[in-house]
Every structure is written in structure tokens, then in C-alpha cells.
Amino acid sequence: MVDNMAQASQAVLNKKPEMDNFRRIVPSLIEKGLDNINLTMFNEETRLGILNALGEEYQRKGSLDQAIKAFILSGNRSKLTEIGHDYEKVALFSHAIDAFRLADNRDELMRIGDKCLTDGRLGDAIKAYRLLGNNEKLIKVGEFCMNKSKWDFAIEVFSAIKSKPKLVEVGDRCLADNQLAYAFKSYSGAEDKDKLNLLGDTCLRQGVLRMAHDAYEKAGNTMMLEFIKENFQGA
């Protein structure tokens, strides 16, 4: 269905005289607002032509969010990709990734993911690779983040690909670095009760009672929860 819309949309774009006619009514339609326009009385070719003309005008004016709406409705993938490039030019990489996703342009998602990784834009690289479902790339990013102590990103990546061993590894390194909150997040994601109990013991020794309680609770350690309740209540 989407492919049919995209083909129909491109066919309309190729008919320049008809497109010129559509552009004449664009200003009044833009004034009315895309969400308030009813085009159901037109046949598909005319409707797509109007939507494409609206999208191009919104794009020309820099209203890219509205342009995206119009091009989604017309199924115009090439224009959605073009908007992705517009966002990329002004360093709005997350928006560019969204546009490439809407265009179903996997090549552009891979390209921008690689660019973001090279430029150190780790969150955007992760977003692109997750949309692609590319675990190989995600592991590469996760390893990079772990080696740079970028714990948030490392945990996000390894949680996304459901790699419990890697989450435990991140947790161990965080615990060794006394990054207790990150260790808790990692061990929780790995659902490793032994590691959570170890974290709870460490927190208890350091007097970090709230974190100790949360770790024991996550591990289902009722005995240590009772111990904290009886001996540290009000501490």
C-alpha cells in the first residue's frame, strides 16, 4: 500500500502542469492549516498532488514538521529523505534520523548512524542502529561506551540487545568505580540476583541505605530487607 502511494506520488510530481495548478491554491490551504483541510472529495491523483505541493511549500518556508506531515500523507519517501538531509545540514541529527525512518531509507539510517558514531554523537548513533536492528553495530557502540566510561549509553545499548553478560560486565566495572547507581541499573537489567546482593552488601557497608534496600528488594532478599528495617529504620 505504501509503495503504491509512493509510486502514485512520484507520478504526480512528474506532471509539471498539474503541479503548477496545485501550487496556485497552496497559500490559502496553508493559511487554513494542514490539519483542517478536507481533501476527500478529490481522486487520489489530485489529493496526492495537493499534499505534495503543500509539503514543498512548508519545506520552502522551513516548517519541516508540517512538511513531514504532508509527505507522510502523500507517501512521498524521496521528499522525506530530502527533509532528513535538511535536518542533517543544521546538525539536528535526531530529527534527521526520524525523517529517514519515516522514509524507510535504511541506507541513509546506516550512513547517518556511522557519521554520528565517528563524530561522537553516541545517542544518535544508538538511535539509528536500533531502528535498523543492527546488533553488530550496537555491540560496537556499547564496547566503545564502556571503554570511555559512558555508562548510560553502554547500559542503554546492552539493554536494547538484551545482553545480560554485557550488562553484568558493565555493572562490575561500575561497582569497581563506586558508581553504585549505574551498577544497580546494570545488574537490574541483567536480572542477576547474586550481583544485586553483592551491590546491596557494598552499599550497606558504605551506609548507602536506600540503595542497599533497593538492591536487596530487586534481588528478593527478604532477610536483608528485614535486617535493614529492624536496625536502620529512621537512619
Side-chain angles (χ1 to χ4, degrees), residues 84 87-88 90-101 108-134 137-138 141-142 144-145 150 152-154 156-157:
Y87 276 128
E88 188 177 352
V90 293
L92 293 174
F93 293 99
S94 183
H95 288 67
I97 290 166
D98 287 335
F100 294 144
R101 173 183 61 83
E108 285 300 300
L109 281 171
M110 180 64 78
R111 182 192 62 77
I112 199 170
D114 290 344
K115 176 180 172 57
C116 288
L117 179 58
T118 300
D119 293 347
R121 300 177 184 276
L122 300 177
D124 292 326
I126 291 167
K127 180 177 180 177
Y129 295 146
R130 287 188 69 175
L131 287 169
L132 289 167
N134 192 318
K137 289 281 189 178
L138 285 168
V141 177
F144 175 85
C145 293
K150 304 284 188 181
D152 269 335
F153 289 131
E156 179 185 347
V157 168

Side-chain angles (χ1 to χ4, degrees), residues 50-87:
I50 293 172
L51 287 168
N52 281 321
L54 278 169
E56 288 185 357
E57 184 62 15
Y58 279 125
Q59 187 179 7
R60 188 184 69 80
K61 289 176 175 290
S63 299
L64 298 185
D65 56 337
Q66 292 299 308
I68 284 173
K69 274 188 188 180
F71 292 137
I72 288 173
L73 290 171
S74 70
N76 195 329
R77 291 178 178 174
S78 64
K79 281 293 183 180
L80 288 168
T81 295
E82 194 176 298
I83 288 177
H85 292 146
D86 288 343
Y87 276 128

Side-chain angles (χ1 to χ4, degrees), residues 17-36:
E18 286 87 343
M19 283 299 294
D20 289 340
N21 288 333
F22 297 142
R23 289 190 180 97
R24 293 192 183 99
I25 64 172
V26 162
S28 59
L29 293 178
I30 283 183
E31 185 176 343
K32 185 175 178 63
L34 183 60
D35 293 334
N36 301 315

Side-chain angles (χ1 to χ4, degrees), residues 213 222-235:
H213 177 278
T222 55
M223 181 183 73
M224 289 308 295
L225 287 171
E226 185 66 21
F227 174 78
I228 290 174
K229 179 181 178 182
E230 292 297 325
N231 292 281
F232 296 100
Q233 200 161 25

